[in-house]
Amino acid sequence: MKLDHPTLWLILPLTLAVAPLVWHLPFWVSGFWVLAIMLKLLRPDRAWPVYWLLPLAAGVFLGVLAEFRTIIGPQAGVSLLVAMSGTGRSWPSSAISC
Amino acid sequence: MLMTHFIHGQSLLLATYLALVAVVLTAAILSSQPARPIPLAALLRQSGVLLFQALPLALLLFLLFPRLPTPFGGLGQVQTGRTGLSDSMQPGSVSELIQSDAIAFRAEFEGAAPAGSDLYWRGPVLWKYDGRVWSDLKIAGEDLLEIQPLGRPLNYSVMLEPHQQHWLFTLGASSQAPDVASDLTADMQWLARQPVKTRLRYSHSAHLDYRMDPVLLPELEALALQLPEGQNPRARRLAETWRRQAGNDDGALIRQALDHFRTEDFYYTLRPPRLDGDAMDAFLFDTRRGFCEHYASAFVVLMRMAEVPARVVTGYQGAELNPLGGYWLVRQRDAHAWAEVWLSGRGWVRVDPTAAVAPDRVERGINAALPELERPRATWDLAWLRPAHQAWDALNMQWQRWVVGYDHARQKALMERLHPALASLKGLLWALVGSSLLVLALLTLWILGRRRSPSPDRLQVLYGRFKARLNRIGVATPDTEGPLDLARRTATLRPDLATRVEAITRLYASLRYGPLPPDQARELARLIHGFKPRR
């Protein structure tokens, strides 16, 4: 596993920004996010294909909706934000904007 | 995403952490610039400088961005507080709290603070007793309550930690409401209209000397004498004996009861034995080991058996001064239960039977009263950690007061003080836009100015100073003349200065054109500093 600078500069701030939130989120959202980070660490050069990414993002959206019965409000909104930050194709602007 | 953290907490520690993450995030953005790679330290420094430059604007937005009277979209409502007192009490419920060193609230007094033994922070008042559990009836109707203040009022403010309940802990008695939406019950409890789910600051004015309910309404008297039927026969016989001995003198009866606790073999402990069957009989005659809830409970039961109206009051007793912040800390471990008895002509009077058993509890705090092995320990109990802990808490208190506590009301008050026009939303928005544009314009001018005027050459500055001193004694220094020519001409005009002028010029020429190390510039500065020729 060899990390290039851009990947490191995306994963490091994102991890620092999300880490303290993990304890406040539903278990599956935190788990999903940790898994996404680990995949990115293992294969930093590989971008997720769009035909995976779209169903994944839709699944996350529906998961949050099912969990909170809404996507509005602090808890649901933060969960959606964190989960979606893990689904960035190669985490370009979505991760940086956090 | 960074801002979402503040939904769950707004502590200084979290804010500091997030500021550091913001530095890393900005560095990440800078690192993605296509220019040549920048070393990590330089990136972080550049990021820090950028954020520092944004501080004036951030400060302006903090002060002027309109605050909402209620939290936006329920933000700030997610905080969960630690549990504290509840609206019922049974053996063990207060002693459980004693194990926690969590902060219940912080208090500040205007002027001198009362003595520790006067610090009874009133919370739930318990009337109903089923033989084991005491319950709060929250009797509505402040018109049923009569407070006659005696002595001067005491002004203080409290920063209450979230406890998910309605109680606002107050000292003494007062019919003057704290400055938050709250209602007064007939038994002198101040209840916030909304459960306290976030940190709440309120000011209050109370009287430590007062007369409460000089006339007791029959409905309240009945409640204050209520006892379950047919329980605790031995306690009843004891109370009846005291009543016969005291006659109609309720004061004498109370003194007799307190003497009983003081002289008999009662023991103050966090680990009392289990009470089975008639709980009060078992406690008063068999185990005789208990905590404040045992003593308050037993005392009130005995009073009621002797036909003296009585009730249990729970809350906190005492406080610990933070000398660095000048405020008082009340922790969960200060939770306490005491009694109130109604006496003809005096109204409700506080009686603390725990103080009869363990006077140190009230005088010097919980740890002084408990046996060594039972004392709850916390990290801040370590003497060498205490100053650091106090400093951190004082810092946190200021953070809570000035940053987190800067809400709609405080913003309005500050703006009104600055200019009445700023108190309206329109005025605030104009001020926000105007001052933001001004700050941005100043910042832009500063940045442009820095780009246009590169930092002057230090040697040039020193040499310019030297030339200015020559000018002062009438030696012209045209820019077209080189340093060596100038030195020669000066030596001709002022032979007395020749040696010093030559030394300065030689050193300047060496530094400017020669291989001399740059630290010789300090020597040049010293020579020029000492060069003060007279006409």
Side-chain angles (χ1 to χ4, degrees):
Chain A
M1 177 173 72
K2 188 167 182 283
L3 282 180
D4 54 348
H5 271 257
T7 311
L8 188 70
W9 271 117
L10 287 173
I11 288 181
L12 176 71
L14 186 64
T15 307
L16 290 174
V18 170
L21 281 174
V22 163
W23 316 109
H24 299 287
L25 300 174
F27 176 74
W28 70 268
V29 173
S30 305
F32 173 79
W33 184 82
V34 170
L35 197 69
I37 290 286
M38 289 183 73
L39 279 176
K40 192 68 193 170
L41 281 170
L42 289 171
R43 302 295 298 270
D45 50 337
R46 174 70 72 81
W48 292 11
V50 178
Y51 55 83
W52 271 33
L53 200 63
L54 285 179
L56 198 65
V60 163
F61 180 87
L62 291 173
V64 171
L65 193 62
E67 177 85 32
F68 297 100
R69 308 276 167 212
T70 177
I71 54 155
I72 302 168
Q75 293 290 52
V78 174
S79 296
L80 195 62
L81 193 62
V82 169
M84 288 296 182
S85 78
T87 62
R89 187 159 186 243
S90 56
W91 291 339
S93 55
S94 66
I96 290 180
S97 67
C98 65
Chain B
M1 192 180 285
L2 282 188
M3 291 301 108
T4 60
H5 289 267
F6 290 121
I7 296 170
H8 302 285
Q10 297 172 352
S11 70
L12 179 59
L13 189 67
L14 180 66
T16 310
Y17 173 78
L18 294 180
L20 292 175
V21 178
V23 172
V24 178
L25 273 171
T26 313
I29 295 168
L30 290 173
S31 78
S32 67
Q33 301 301 312
R36 64 192 166 82
I38 310 169
L40 175 68
L43 262 179
L44 291 173
R45 190 170 54 243
Q46 202 176 338
S47 158
V49 168
L50 275 174
L51 289 175
F52 185 75
Q53 285 171 344
L55 261 185
L57 197 60
L59 188 66
L60 209 64
L61 288 169
F62 171 77
L63 288 172
L64 296 178
F65 195 85
R67 299 301 207 259
L68 297 171
T70 50
F72 176 69
L75 287 182
Q77 299 291 315
V78 183
Q79 266 192 10
T80 51
R82 293 160 200 248
T83 51
L85 293 166
S86 77
D87 56 1
S88 65
M89 184 188 84
Q90 56 189 315
S93 56
V94 177
S95 44
E96 254 173 44
L97 285 178
I98 304 298
Q99 309 292 342
S100 164
D101 67 334
I103 293 168
F105 54 88
R106 298 170 175 89
E108 282 178 289
F109 296 97
E110 269 180 34
S117 54
D118 284 332
L119 292 175
Y120 281 83
W121 303 93
R122 191 182 185 88
V125 180
L126 313 176
W127 296 76
K128 193 179 167 202
Y129 182 56
D130 67 359
R132 190 158 193 86
V133 180
W134 286 91
S135 312
D136 182 4
L137 297 176
K138 292 195 181 74
I139 307 162
E142 62 181 279
D143 48 333
L144 300 177
L145 177 69
E146 186 185 348
I147 304 282
Q148 294 175 358
L150 308 169
R152 295 174 62 186
L154 172 73
N155 297 320
Y156 62 98
S157 59
V158 169
M159 190 180 280
L160 182 60
E161 294 294 310
H163 57 64
Q164 319 300 327
Q165 306 283 349
H166 292 263
W167 300 294
L168 301 175
F169 297 95
T170 55
L171 285 173
S174 171
S175 47
Q176 195 181 324
D179 59 349
V180 290
S182 52
D183 296 304
L184 180 60
T185 62
D187 49 12
M188 188 59 237
Q189 297 182 56
W190 282 107
L191 302 177
R193 295 207 180 122
Q194 300 295 325
V196 182
K197 290 186 175 179
T198 55
R199 207 170 270 116
L200 177 71
R201 186 182 170 83
Y202 56 90
S203 300
H204 192 226
S205 177
H207 293 267
L208 295 184
D209 290 324
Y210 55 87
R211 193 168 289 140
M212 191 193 304
D213 286 345
V215 177
L216 187 60
L217 298 172
E219 311 89 284
L220 293 182
E221 185 177 7
L223 285 172
L225 291 172
Q226 170 268 331
L227 280 173
E229 293 279 325
Q231 291 188 10
N232 304 304
R234 287 192 284 171
R236 188 170 289 280
R237 277 197 295 279
L238 180 66
E240 284 165 1
T241 311
W242 289 343
R243 169 52 76 197
R244 272 197 302 280
Q245 290 167 353
N248 288 329
D249 187 353
D250 288 348
L253 193 141
I254 291 165
R255 282 193 294 278
Q256 198 158 6
L258 292 177
D259 278 345
H260 180 77
F261 284 121
R262 200 174 290 124
T263 53
E264 294 292 322
D265 186 23
F266 283 97
Y267 192 71
Y268 184 67
T269 173
L270 268 179
R271 298 170 194 159
R274 188 184 159 85
L275 300 173
D276 293 318
D278 286 333
M280 280 307 121
D281 274 0
F283 169 65
L284 286 167
F285 299 100
D286 303 330
T287 67
R288 292 191 166 183
R289 270 145 180 71
F291 199 60
C292 62
E293 67 255 42
H294 294 83
Y295 292 101
S297 179
F299 181 82
V300 171
V301 167
L302 285 168
M303 288 301 107
R304 288 185 177 187
M305 285 171 168
E307 297 295 318
V308 180
R311 60 193 182 190
V312 173
V313 184
T314 57
Y316 297 89
Q317 201 285 318
E320 171 200 342
L321 175 69
N322 184 329
L324 295 171
Y327 60 88
W328 296 78
L329 265 171
V330 178
R331 298 176 184 277
Q332 295 298 351
R333 62 167 51 178
D334 297 314
H336 193 48
W338 59 95
E340 271 182 350
V341 292
W342 189 87
L343 299 177
S344 177
R346 292 180 63 191
W348 289 106
V349 175
R350 182 179 66 225
V351 180
D352 190 347
T354 307
V357 181
D360 280 345
R361 165 64 187 89
V362 175
E363 300 292 334
R364 292 165 53 210
I366 180 76
N367 269 3
L370 283 170
E372 176 74 30
L373 287 174
E374 291 185 21
R375 288 176 192 169
R377 292 278 173 209
T379 45
W380 54 268
D381 279 336
L382 298 170
W384 61 274
L385 263 182
R386 188 171 283 249
H389 188 271
Q390 285 173 336
W392 176 246
D393 197 78
L395 208 60
N396 252 308
M397 172 82 168
Q398 298 308 323
W399 168 260
Q400 291 298 333
R401 180 192 292 173
W402 298 113
V403 181
V404 181
Y406 186 67
D407 55 9
H408 175 72
R410 286 203 153 201
Q411 186 183 43
K412 201 169 175 195
L414 177 69
M415 293 304 135
E416 261 169 0
R417 213 181 306 162
L418 290 175
H419 195 282
L422 293 175
S424 69
L425 181 64
K426 197 174 158 190
L428 202 59
L429 286 173
W430 274 114
L432 177 66
V433 172
S435 50
S436 301
L437 286 176
L438 185 68
V439 168
L440 283 175
L442 289 174
L443 208 58
T444 311
L445 284 176
W446 180 62
I447 291 168
L448 287 176
R450 277 189 64 185
R451 278 192 187 164
R452 274 187 200 146
S453 56
S455 58
D457 183 334
R458 178 164 158 73
L459 283 177
Q460 205 173 337
V461 170
L462 286 172
Y463 193 66
R465 203 174 294 158
F466 170 65
K467 282 166 80 173
R469 286 181 183 170
L470 288 177
N471 279 332
R472 223 178 289 153
I473 58 166
V475 179
T477 57
D479 288 340
T480 48
E481 192 176 24
L484 297 177
D485 288 342
L486 176 63
R488 268 194 295 273
R489 194 163 54 80
T490 309
T492 314
L493 290 171
R494 292 286 301 267
D496 57 316
L497 301 176
T499 318
R500 290 160 70 193
V501 168
E502 194 190 340
I504 290 172
T505 306
R506 204 182 312 124
L507 187 56
Y508 170 69
S510 307
L511 282 165
R512 173 62 71 202
Y513 309 109
L516 270 177
D519 60 355
Q520 286 289 318
R522 231 176 284 149
E523 173 63 11
L524 181 66
R526 194 187 62 77
L527 286 177
I528 293 174
H529 183 73
F531 183 69
K532 288 169 184 164
R534 293 191 180 158
R535 275 179 186 272

